[in-house]
Amino acid sequence: MSNLEKTLSIIKPDAVERNLDQEIKNIFLNNDFKIIKEKKIQLEKSDAEKFYKVHETKPFYNDLCAYLSSGPIVVMILEKENAVLSNRELMGATNPKEAKEGTIRKKYGVSIDKNSVHGSDSPENAKIEIEFFFKD
Ligand code: CMP
């Protein structure tokens, strides 16, 4: 059965800073994702805190929010069959050191913080995250 989904993808500051945004977008396009909407923005730390609220009790929360708001990011709505899972497979493990060969994080990730991309972890969170960045 068809399961066309949307997911939220972020190209994080470490990748935008290295001018990898077009290269990463091409990886999505070459893997049959459609980029439905995209924008390049820089978040205030308070916005990053709202976005990552699910992690607020984690020891890395403050550094994570400081990092996401440290420079420009590219946020995108991606669409594909089973987009949430497909994007997570393409990104690879959160820690680039554990990511499989051929994944975005293996290729470009620098550390667990500077792991180049974010992707929604469930269809429910994809809706919430898309709404967060693209309210209209
Ligand atoms: P992301 O998919 O954007 O979601 C939360 C982020 O927290 C994650 O990617 C990592 O970049 C970051 N992070 C930092 N430390 C950890 C950790 N110990 N476990 C999981 N995520 C971490």
Side-chain angles (χ1 to χ4, degrees):
M1 223 179 73
S2 140
N3 183 36
L4 193 62
E5 282 180 345
K6 291 184 177 65
T7 190
L8 185 92
S9 170
I10 303 179
I11 305 178
K12 294 188 181 184
D14 66 277
V16 174
E17 182 182 271
R18 287 176 286 155
N19 293 311
L20 293 170
D21 36 326
Q22 193 55 53
E23 208 167 312
I24 292 175
K25 278 192 247 171
N26 287 339
I27 295 178
F28 289 124
L29 295 171
N30 291 336
N31 282 273
D32 303 321
F33 285 92
K34 262 194 207 161
I35 300 173
I36 303 285
K37 284 188 184 171
E38 63 171 285
K39 59 183 178 183
K40 192 184 232 181
I41 52 171
Q42 180 159 358
L43 296 180
E44 297 294 336
K45 186 163 183 242
S46 57
D47 297 320
E49 286 166 353
K50 275 182 216 142
F51 179 72
Y52 276 135
K53 196 161 174 37
V54 288
H55 295 300
E56 74 182 328
T57 60
K58 311 268 173 65
F60 56 83
Y61 179 64
N62 186 56
D63 287 349
L64 174 63
C65 297
Y67 169 61
L68 193 72
S69 56
S70 68
I73 58 174
V74 176
V75 288
M76 296 174 286
I77 301 176
L78 301 181
E79 186 181 71
K80 186 185 171 178
E81 286 290 309
N82 303 310
V84 172
L85 185 62
S86 183
N87 181 36
R88 291 182 68 76
E89 286 173 357
L90 190 57
M91 288 192 298
T94 306
N95 187 344
K97 289 195 189 104
E98 291 160 12
K100 287 192 192 132
E101 227 30 80
T103 62
I104 295 174
R105 284 168 170 163
K106 172 75 181 180
K107 203 164 173 193
Y108 303 115
V110 179
S111 64
I112 194 161
D113 303 298
K114 298 184 174 181
N115 62 355
S116 302
V117 280
H118 166 85
S120 310
D121 65 0
S122 66
E124 296 70 38
N125 283 337
K127 285 198 185 74
I128 294 168
E129 293 183 354
I130 287 169
E131 173 75 17
F132 183 88
F133 283 110
F134 299 96
K135 286 202 177 66
D136 40 65

